[in-house]
Amino acid sequence: MTANSRERAGGSTPGAAVRAVDDVRLRAAIYARVSRDMRNGRSVAQQEAECRRQIEDEAWDLVGVWVDNDRGASQWSKGKREQWEDLKDQVTAGDIDVLVVWEPSRLTRDRLVWAALAAICEREGVKIAASGRLYDLSDPDDAFQLDLYFALATREVGVTRKRVMRDAKAQAEAGHPHGGIAYGYYRLYDETTGNLIKQLPDYRPRLNLWGVNFVLWLAIIGRPDQWCTPLGLWALGYRVWEESLVTGEAKSKHRPPWWALGPLFTPDDHRIEWYTRADIVTDVIVPRALAGDPEFAITRELGRRGILTSTGSLFEPPTLRYLLSNPTYAGYRRYQGQLYPAKWAPLIRLEDHQALTVKYGRRIWEGKKTPSVSREHTVKYLLSGLLACGVCDGPCNVTSAAGPGQRRYYTCIGRGKIPGRGNCTARPMAEIDLYVTELVIEWLSSPEAAEVLMADTRSAVDLRNLMDRREEVTERLRNLFKNAGLNGMSDELLAQTERNLKGQLETLNEQIDARQPYPVLRDLVKPERADVEAAWDRLADNLPRRREVVRTLFTRLELQRLGRGRRGVPVEQTIKVTWRNFQQSA
């Protein structure tokens, strides 16, 4: 709520000395705040009403009311108090003589904020009216009482937060769910007490968007009087959508009616179907992500099939990345960076979750900036952006030569370590693609590839053992200081034990991170070369998956510069290949 009025008192002049004169009416401002609005604004309304009564009793002039509803005021509060910031500017400018609140804690529960406010009020001569009493910060007794109020308010917040954090940790260790419900699950609650009973995979059948459109249309078609209502417009298909998520076109327009899309006549797109959210996770999203399909391809398929999120919107790449990196689907609960075994049934295997976390979620769960949106849908060639220039280390993209046939080349486009350089290297695209493809097929049919898949299978057992070991070390570290006094450990021995346990924990975390399975290779590794070639040919229409295989097998592909006039150079001398060390990462 903005200030109702900010009229200055008649005849008043700025300055603390003048404002203190008895014949000048003081300018009062009301500030009301509540951390959690459970009564639709009644709390802040009651605060304002009581403050207005005090202003009338004291014969002050009301210059405005500032309200921050549903906003915390502690150092851990995330929401910004816009009205509070505006009110502070008014106090600093000397436009207010009395700051009226229901109780001191409504102003703030942060020591630093109170210290800054107290300094401003003392400098400008602004008094604080709270709990029916007027406080003057220039009086040491009044200032001490307010300091005591805010110290108690800060302690109350700290004690509450400590209790909440302890309960949250206990809930995590017990494996109970917390926060929003993950897509593919639902929760059962006790009808009497409202307490959570359990969380279950969501196998309840649902109609996709096209089916819902059809049902709504049948319900509304016989009611012409309802056609112009919001429900009628929805059923008839008049609504705005973001078409780029479904068709790939970067524009928005009105969604056509269901009959214009032909849901009953096109077998692949826009057909009516029953589905369950758990099956969408286990049969569509996770398998395609493990196989190397980019996020845009998965979200496009879900959009075309009319599968929506829990909130009724289309899937987007950021939402999909968060879903794929969520340990809930592997039967684990994450709390402060640590995984705890959960009480609900998992939908995917732990090793698959580890592979997805390595690819999608490491930056998300470490609190770093999320990666940019994938541009794989714009790539048309196998090695575009994957080749690096051996001169300036810039990326290489495809260019076409002038003349008949327009022969294509992988060419350095600059943006490397040497400023101003470009076109450092160039080699025919067909020649390089054929050579890299030959390397890929040769490796996929080799005994080394089979060993990598066997190590991938063994890593599942190793991963569980490592996580159990990490839980044991974490429990020992948690109980170290609790039992130190009972065991009579010295400070030196306590510190040494803590360092040893933390060292073991760091080593275990590194070993867990090193268990990186490569699911994109599972359907391609064959003992016979002909089978590998057939599997690779089946990916002809799936360029993103082929590029993911190349990323998995090679850590670097570098295009070498040969110099002018050199012809007939073998292709293996024009490209430097660095294979991934699977033995080290397995």
Side-chain angles (χ1 to χ4, degrees), residues 295-479:
E295 304 97 296
F296 83 91
I298 304 175
T299 56
R300 181 177 297 178
E301 177 186 343
L302 294 174
R304 286 174 174 170
R305 290 179 56 181
I307 308 298
L308 304 180
T309 65
S310 302
T311 58
S313 59
L314 291 172
F315 278 91
E316 297 181 3
T319 305
L320 197 66
R321 285 196 294 268
Y322 193 86
L323 184 152
L324 290 169
S325 60
N326 194 339
T328 298
Y329 299 103
Y332 280 86
R333 160 80 187 278
R334 184 181 294 276
Y335 178 74
Q336 293 186 346
Q338 185 173 349
L339 295 180
Y340 297 91
K343 291 186 176 298
W344 56 82
L347 293 179
I348 65 176
R349 299 182 301 174
L350 178 61
E351 56 271 23
D352 290 340
H353 164 69
Q354 182 70 9
L356 294 172
T357 301
V358 170
K359 183 178 180 181
Y360 295 101
R362 186 179 300 278
R363 299 177 66 86
I364 294 177
W365 296 116
E366 289 179 355
K368 300 179 181 179
K369 183 179 179 180
T370 56
S372 59
V373 177
S374 172
R375 301 296 179 186
E376 282 289 321
H377 60 285
T378 65
V379 178
K380 299 180 180 179
Y381 307 103
L382 178 63
L383 301 179
S384 293
L386 302 182
L387 279 172
C389 175
V391 179
C392 70
D393 201 31
C396 296
N397 283 348
V398 174
T399 59
S400 299
Q406 292 186 344
R407 192 180 185 189
R408 293 186 175 90
Y409 292 82
Y410 284 118
T411 306
C412 167
I413 62 174
R415 301 204 302 265
K417 296 180 180 178
I418 305 178
R421 290 299 297 268
N423 299 321
C424 305
T425 56
R427 294 300 297 170
M429 183 190 74
E431 180 180 298
I432 297 297
D433 282 355
L434 182 60
Y435 177 70
V436 173
T437 300
E438 178 66 23
L439 292 179
V440 169
I441 294 177
E442 188 69 25
W443 188 90
L444 291 175
S445 59
S446 66
E448 182 184 356
E451 292 178 2
V452 169
L453 284 190
M454 290 179 62
D456 188 2
T457 304
R458 291 194 302 268
S459 67
V461 180
D462 296 340
L463 182 60
R464 288 186 174 87
N465 294 335
L466 287 172
M467 294 189 70
D468 292 341
R469 175 61 179 161
R470 184 175 64 177
E471 178 64 23
E472 295 175 3
V473 175
T474 303
E475 185 66 23
R476 289 178 58 190
L477 185 61
R478 187 183 303 119
N479 297 329

Side-chain angles (χ1 to χ4, degrees), residues 1-32:
M1 182 188 298
T2 58
N4 294 332
S5 63
R6 295 176 183 170
E7 300 177 356
R8 300 179 63 89
S12 62
T13 59
V18 178
R19 290 200 301 268
V21 180
D22 294 337
D23 59 351
V24 177
R25 291 170 63 91
L26 298 180
R27 298 161 296 173
I30 295 176
Y31 180 72

Side-chain angles (χ1 to χ4, degrees), residues 221-249:
I221 194 63
R223 301 286 304 275
D225 58 314
Q226 297 292 321
W227 288 1
C228 294
T229 64
L231 179 60
L233 294 176
W234 174 271
L236 295 176
Y238 296 101
R239 51 193 180 277
V240 177
W241 68 341
E242 180 59 40
E243 195 178 19
S244 61
L245 294 176
V246 178
T247 65
E249 300 180 13

